[in-house]
Amino acid sequence: IKMKLPDAHENVPVEDMDSSLGLSPSFDGPSNIDSRELGISKDPLLFIQLNELLGWPQALEWRETDIPQIILSIPLYHRWMLFEEKLEVGAGRWSAPHVPTLTLPSLQKLRSLLAKGLVLLDCPAQSLLELVEQVIQAESLSPELRGQLQALLLQRPQHHIQTRGTCWGSAHPKKASHDENIPLKEQGQNSLRQKLPPGAEAAAVLAGELGFLAQPVGAFVRLRDPVVLGPLTEVPIPSRFFCLLLGPPVPRRGYHEMGRAAAVLLSDPQFQWSVRRARSLHDLLAALDIFLEGVTVLPPGRWDSTARIPPPKCLPSQHKRLRSQMQEVEGLSRPRRARTEDRDSHEPHKPTPELQRTGRLFGGLVQDVRRKAPWYPSDFLDALHPQCFSAVLYIYLATVTNAITFGGLLGDATEGAQGVLESFLGTAVAGAAFCLMAGQPLTILSSTGPVLVFERLLFSFSRDYSLDYLPFRLWVGIWVATFCLVLVATEASVLVRYFTRFTEEGFCALISLIFIYDALGKMLNLTRAYPILRPGSPAYGCFCQYPVPGGGLRETGRDLDQVRTDDLGLVNASLLSPPECTRQGGYPRGPGCHTVPDIAFFSLLLFLTSFLFAMALKHVRTSRFFPSVVRKVLSDFSSVLAILLGCSLDAFLGLATPKLLVPRDFKPTLPGRGWLVSPFGTNPWWLTVAATLPALLLSILIFMDQQITAVILNRKEYRLRKGAGFHLDLFCVAVLMLLTSVLGLPWYVSATVISLAHMDSLRRESRDCAPGEAPSFLGIREQRLTGLVVFILTGISIFLAPVLKFIPMPVLYGIFLYMGVTALSSIQFMKRVQLLLMPAKHQPDLLLLRHVPLSRVHLFTAIQLACLGLLWIIKSTPAAIIFPLMLLGLVGVRKALEWVFSPQELLWLDELMPEEERNIPEKGLEPEHPFSGSDSEDSELMYQPKVPEINISVN
Amino acid sequence: IKMKLPDAHENVPVEDMDSSLGLSPSFDGPSNIDSRELGISKDPLLFIQLNELLGWPQALEWRETDIPQIILSIPLYHRWMLFEEKLEVGAGRWSAPHVPTLTLPSLQKLRSLLAKGLVLLDCPAQSLLELVEQVIQAESLSPELRGQLQALLLQRPQHHIQTRGTCWGSAHPKKASHDENIPLKEQGQNSLRQKLPPGAEAAAVLAGELGFLAQPVGAFVRLRDPVVLGPLTEVPIPSRFFCLLLGPPVPRRGYHEMGRAAAVLLSDPQFQWSVRRARSLHDLLAALDIFLEGVTVLPPGRWDSTARIPPPKCLPSQHKRLRSQMQEVEGLSRPRRARTEDRDSHEPHKPTPELQRTGRLFGGLVQDVRRKAPWYPSDFLDALHPQCFSAVLYIYLATVTNAITFGGLLGDATEGAQGVLESFLGTAVAGAAFCLMAGQPLTILSSTGPVLVFERLLFSFSRDYSLDYLPFRLWVGIWVATFCLVLVATEASVLVRYFTRFTEEGFCALISLIFIYDALGKMLNLTRAYPILRPGSPAYGCFCQYPVPGGGLRETGRDLDQVRTDDLGLVNASLLSPPECTRQGGYPRGPGCHTVPDIAFFSLLLFLTSFLFAMALKHVRTSRFFPSVVRKVLSDFSSVLAILLGCSLDAFLGLATPKLLVPRDFKPTLPGRGWLVSPFGTNPWWLTVAATLPALLLSILIFMDQQITAVILNRKEYRLRKGAGFHLDLFCVAVLMLLTSVLGLPWYVSATVISLAHMDSLRRESRDCAPGEAPSFLGIREQRLTGLVVFILTGISIFLAPVLKFIPMPVLYGIFLYMGVTALSSIQFMKRVQLLLMPAKHQPDLLLLRHVPLSRVHLFTAIQLACLGLLWIIKSTPAAIIFPLMLLGLVGVRKALEWVFSPQELLWLDELMPEEERNIPEKGLEPEHPFSGSDSEDSELMYQPKVPEINISVN
């Protein structure tokens, strides 16, 4: 089956085709998946509608009138854009869009009817009337029938139009009148119209069974210029195609099914492409045959043909189909096509230009600056979009939440050397500076778990050896900055390609577990600080004792709380509350005086409430309730809302729960230190040299934490077009490291989660989607302004202290638990751990499991678990401070796995390291079948669009 | 297309066909959905497997050896029973069963290959060797090719057999040897074999591309007698069909796809039926054409042909397809068929025989006894099945849990007039008696929410008017029994047909809300009993004061707790705990002495823990984790496990939480009363008459509660074959009412939830299902023994008191909340309430919404909400005791709804009342389309198998 060559002017040049496959920077228009995705045909979207005519012969009646009045018109029973929607007549609403299903006989009958019928290509009709006249003239009908048919076709159909809130059907069918070219008022108000992209065209299919016809009438018309066919289509857009399928009544609603078949055909991008260019009936039938070759057939015994299949999340690519057809038609040069495809498939194995070694000192940094400099003005201009406002609000709240929680934890960990105020100040200064200078300004700097863990270890080390913490820390910072600069100079960032998912997951899992462990541990500590009183406790009394002459206080002068429970003797006592007692000159006595009851359990309740509430809100996003805007807000601000709920619960009951400590004035949390850290303090001079050792460990940690995040943020899936700057980012982090160390502020690196949330809030998506089509991702609004504004706002928030002091600590611990659990559950590793508990029968149909034996998957998971256990053990020993080295060891373990697993298995279980990519033969990447040249198996990948692995909801 | 008449002996008589459509009582065999569901053909299940041969011409090599060694055999790539399973070669396991998808060209090529190829019907071959020889002889091949082909076909294929735990592939293909007829050892161990029903047959499809063939070789063989074809099929069962599709290499794995097409064809019940009876090639091709007519076609542009479609929950009925074919083939008498179908479709509108009025006094009761008497012996014999043991255990635990919780609540509500002991005793006596006598012995009697509510109202009424409760209650009971007997005599039970879903839902929702409200209310009461101490409280001190001469106790002689906080003066004090203080002769003084701290919050924690744990366990059933047995146990015993968890948490912390009160001795909870209630007590004589009024209300309540449950339990979906006994059940309830009133025990009626659980635990299901097939429901083990044993065990459990007293009340309140929430969320009403919060786009594709406009659905829901609000208001006023009347009023409201909604709408939103059923035309029940004679729309019902509306997890 060959198609004829279309006109030369319709033939899109090949160059155009290639460029349109990439993302053109200025493209921001509404979605038309066909034209955009295909790139090849810039054909407009087609809105197809099937109007059905129903009637049966009641000879006496219809003979008397001019128009066959008895013919019911229940049109617009179905409509198509990408998927089929069916009008539920009883419920008066459109069904959910679904994949259309056809019967084979209807397609075959349609083919034979078209073959016998009238095909008008490039019909010059300018109105419905002209069109109908032309069609009717060509049919071999008696003049009487012709008149009736014409009147019938010009009848105004009864539309079912859904406007913004309500839906109504228009009046009953009227007689044909002079206004058949004027669209109805309701048509103009149709909310569907706003969803259609500009330039969309319509296709009208009229099908039905008419009692007065003796033989079938079939016509297919392509209009030369699209024309609004009056009230024929639901939305008043110009129609390009018109298809008429009428005939005498047949069983099983034959013409209805044929009409559906014609509409489904027209909705197929390949058929549409062909039929727009068809020059004869033969072309039309050939396109139909190509369609038939491509259909999927479901057996009748195992599938109910009336079941509605929901639209797939990801449409199969039309590239291959359309290209192969174009090739057949136009004889596209074979080598060129092969080259293009090769490039596509090779690309993932080659390092991105940002990660190629230049071989010169600071060569990568220079390249980064050169790459980013031209974009600098646009980094501010691109921010002028309303979406950026909401992104600022969202990320600001997330940043502040992070600053509060990490500030609280750091204050705990360092006994006030770092506190909430330092956290706010440092976040603001470092973040803003990074946004202005960095290579990837979408990154949000923040305190991160690993650095927090390290700082805690450093603090306990310096406490154990009675060191002056801040000066020691300053030297560590100085050395870290130096090491990082060396790493920048030597272009060490290109090594990030050795950080495969195995390393990322080990890193992420360890940090998440530390979060969870810390949150639970701190809650348990609270129950120790506020002990629970049991009935068996010796006594929980408290009373106020006054020093009276000749009695009391004799034997218990100092140790007021250590009274034995049975021998107080004669005292002058009252039951005043302890503070009141002290004020009146008495002494509160008894173990009950310092016990605050109910706090432990109430804290536990607050902890659980904020955790569960945050988790629940996060899941609101995928629930069916509420409009999507509300769902998005609730889930985006889940932790903010959970904190608010915890605070109000606490305020409502007014119990003396432990609260967040915030300084009242703008001065360092630690009393008696200035803003600048003295370089030596009370430490011996040689400590400046000894600091190189922890600095070396911290450098490893900073490098890994920073670069793993950078790799994730710069993934190809995000379609960033301004390029990354791995070296420049590390350089900025090093400089900021120095600054914060001098000022005694926390250290900052890129925070994966919050940066991903930042990017997510700046997604550019196609807005107006056809029903059933998922909005397609166009890219990210890459700019520096949102981050900058966020950090300026964070700086201003330092003056929030009067509000912050109402936040109970258990609520913050709950949020920490939430962050840990969310981060942990987002990695593929946890999915594989879950597989261990699932019977094979119930396991989800993961691609991974299709290609790797279950025992090998379990082995890989077990190795990861063992590594994690080892890391945990090291973290719990005095050698904890060397844990960054151990994280680096994960890369070595991963390298050693090459001896255990085949490259194919590693490809599915992990990613490949640079050398492995070279070793694996191109063929081997498709381990499915020796005959894998076919496209029978590989397109299953289509169904699982690649998403970022670590996709933790932030804040 | 017509089929030839098959042999007479294969033609199943029509009588046989009709009877096999019903449920034959003795049928308990494994599942073969085709033969059983179809009823018509008793053909065995077919196990189909596709072995693929792959090879390409390497001329030099294969010429040297006798067998073409280079030909790889990766057989058994796919297998079919009902659905397709694909071998994931890389992962070494079978994919999940899925609906097979084919391409149209493969079917067309298969057709032409079969048309040209060899078709052997009723081939007498007795072994693989004979079969291969016969096939090869018939092909027009050169002798050399013939030899090669024969050797190739006798080659032992490389199986992939999954045994109980492990899977392995057998050794590499061997040369043909003398053992080609002996099944491999692994084949025998194949766990799949146990899943296949006895008598299952195999079909082997061999397809592949062979380089040495110049032209296609196609053969289709039906063996006269099924033969085990050696190691050809994965399971060593006799093969009936053999299909060979070989040819020179073609692009797109043509022969592989043709092989799949052949296998899918064979797995189609209709094609199978035809091909078993085919007498010529023509029959075969005609069957293929019929298959093609029935296939569902999915367009290529909107569907990825490689996507795996999971098996539908409910297979489309093959009745219609097969019957119409049989009719064509055999000329089945048209009237007979029409009659059968009419009966089927009319049945739901006619009352069941149990609910038809006889018109005689006690006529229904007599009929019930007559109907049930013949089954009496079998009611005990049918219980001899191991399933009954687990049912007894499960229902026993549920009953005991219910007895404890309701006993605790009744004790609360009646100030000890009914307690846990009465609850156990009454449950045991009434339940056992009911199981022995009742019409529907699967019913479990229990205290129910409505009766509990009424009893509480009755108690507060009699307390308000200072009546002697138990004697008053005795008279209420006597009158209720009398009224119920009148209802039995007048056959009032036939009125249950007016209890539509509207009434059931109102009833259920009210009771659930009362449960939820009570559980929360009781928790709040606890915080009042154990107040939370705040920092602002005046003082929470407590100390021990001794009466010393000349000091203390002067001014505070009596009112020890009412001391002012600031003036105690000189006292002789110690800090002993209050009980110790009292023992030593002192007086505990201060407000803190009687306050038990931490109890309020700990109770709240226990409450939430048991509630959330029970909810979580209930959802384990549908999770992916754990084997199904574990999941079932965890979810069935969710409340028992939640109680255990709560108790251990409580025991671990050892706090003085309020516990369940149980008497230590076997005597009534109320001190000073015997087992028989005195008929008058201190009440005036006229109260015996006045008791008729509450008795009337209670009778309505008992009637509704009992009969709504009975209607639900006797629904047709449960396929009960021993019939119901509405009148007999009510009679038993009346008699037991009298007995429990005399003994002062709680009143009992049928409990919906626990009875449903009882039936559910006695389900008979087809055990061995083909992969992808849901087990089919065969009926319920109807007998009296399980219930009887459960209640005997409950009676024995009266001596559990030493254990029961460790159960904290907050845990029971948590379980009550769980019961209320579960019951509420199970009714359709709640689904419709949820719709109010959902944007139309996200609403689930309910059948209801396809047929009724959303605004009408919302209106119906709003009316139900209003009714519920009204009921709630009445329940909260002093007129609460008349709430049974209000429930009856729901029937009236439902009747009035006829003026608001059309019968069609009511049919979808509710059920129809008897008169409405008569009014609605048969046609009107299918409001879809004037041309609804087609089967295009109605089979969508198939996708939502009818399940009981109220399906609350018990206990």
Side-chain angles (χ1 to χ4, degrees), chain B residues 348-368:
Chain B
H349 307 295
K350 277 196 191 153
T352 47
E354 293 98 340
L355 286 178
Q356 261 164 343
R357 198 184 279 277
T358 63
R360 293 187 303 278
L361 218 57
F362 289 102
L365 182 65
V366 171
Q367 262 199 344
D368 278 357

Side-chain angles (χ1 to χ4, degrees), chain B residues 286-505:
Chain B
L288 202 157
D289 289 336
I290 290 174
F291 177 89
L292 276 176
E293 269 181 34
V295 297
T296 304
V297 170
L298 299 178
R302 299 294 167 237
W303 187 252
D304 188 339
S305 57
T306 59
R308 292 183 187 166
I309 305 175
K313 276 188 202 113
C314 180
L315 280 176
S317 166
Q318 301 298 318
H319 272 289
K320 228 179 229 171
R321 284 180 67 212
L322 225 71
R323 270 208 175 128
S324 71
Q325 189 170 359
M326 279 180 70
Q327 197 190 339
E328 275 185 54
V329 174
E330 300 171 24
L332 260 183
S333 58
R334 173 88 193 168
R336 172 153 209 143
R337 179 172 159 252
R339 196 185 54 76
T340 315
E341 284 198 350
D342 278 355
R343 202 189 52 196
D344 284 357
S345 60
H346 271 260
E347 222 159 26
H349 307 295
K350 277 196 191 153
T352 47
E354 293 98 340
L355 286 178
Q356 261 164 343
R357 198 184 279 277
T358 63
R360 293 187 303 278
L361 218 57
F362 289 102
L365 182 65
V366 171
Q367 262 199 344
D368 278 357
V369 172
R370 276 205 199 121
R371 189 184 313 112
K372 300 300 289 187
W375 294 105
Y376 209 81
S378 78
D379 277 352
F380 291 88
L381 295 175
D382 285 356
L384 302 177
H385 189 276
Q387 194 183 13
C388 293
F389 282 104
S390 63
V392 163
L393 180 67
Y394 172 38
I395 300 302
Y396 163 68
L397 282 176
T399 309
V400 164
T401 314
N402 246 25
I404 291 169
T405 32
F406 275 102
L409 289 183
L410 267 174
D412 262 25
T414 61
E415 294 174 4
Q418 317 284 336
V420 175
L421 188 87
E422 281 85 358
S423 181
F424 269 83
L425 191 65
T427 306
V429 170
F434 191 85
C435 277
L436 281 175
M437 303 192 302
Q440 183 46 272
L442 294 174
T443 313
I444 298 289
L445 282 207
S446 164
S447 299
T448 61
V451 176
L452 169 65
V453 171
F454 190 85
E455 179 131 23
R456 194 170 51 196
L457 293 169
L458 197 67
F459 182 82
S460 42
F461 176 84
S462 69
R463 191 186 45 197
D464 291 352
Y465 294 91
S466 314
L467 303 178
D468 200 352
Y469 179 58
L470 285 176
F472 176 49
R473 187 177 176 280
L474 168 63
W475 280 102
V476 173
I478 291 173
W479 283 113
V480 169
T482 315
F483 293 144
C484 283
L485 285 181
V486 171
L487 290 174
V488 172
T490 54
E491 300 182 281
S493 298
V494 300
L495 296 176
V496 298
R497 290 170 58 228
Y498 285 89
F499 296 163
T500 59
R501 190 162 63 193
F502 181 84
T503 318
E504 289 173 19
E505 284 184 346

Side-chain angles (χ1 to χ4, degrees), chain B residues 173-238:
Chain B
K174 286 195 222 160
K175 280 194 181 190
S177 57
H178 58 280
D179 63 350
E180 72 273 1
N181 286 327
I182 303 163
L184 297 175
K185 205 177 112 203
E186 298 96 16
Q187 278 175 286
Q189 291 170 341
N190 195 330
S191 64
L192 190 70
R193 186 172 194 176
Q194 287 132 33
K195 289 209 164 187
L196 293 173
E201 295 177 351
V205 180
L206 298 181
E209 297 168 11
L210 299 177
F212 60 86
L213 286 177
Q215 58 193 42
V217 173
F220 183 88
V221 180
R222 184 177 76 209
L223 289 157
R224 199 181 52 206
D225 306 304
V227 170
V228 177
L229 293 180
L232 203 59
T233 53
E234 184 194 6
V235 270
I237 53 173

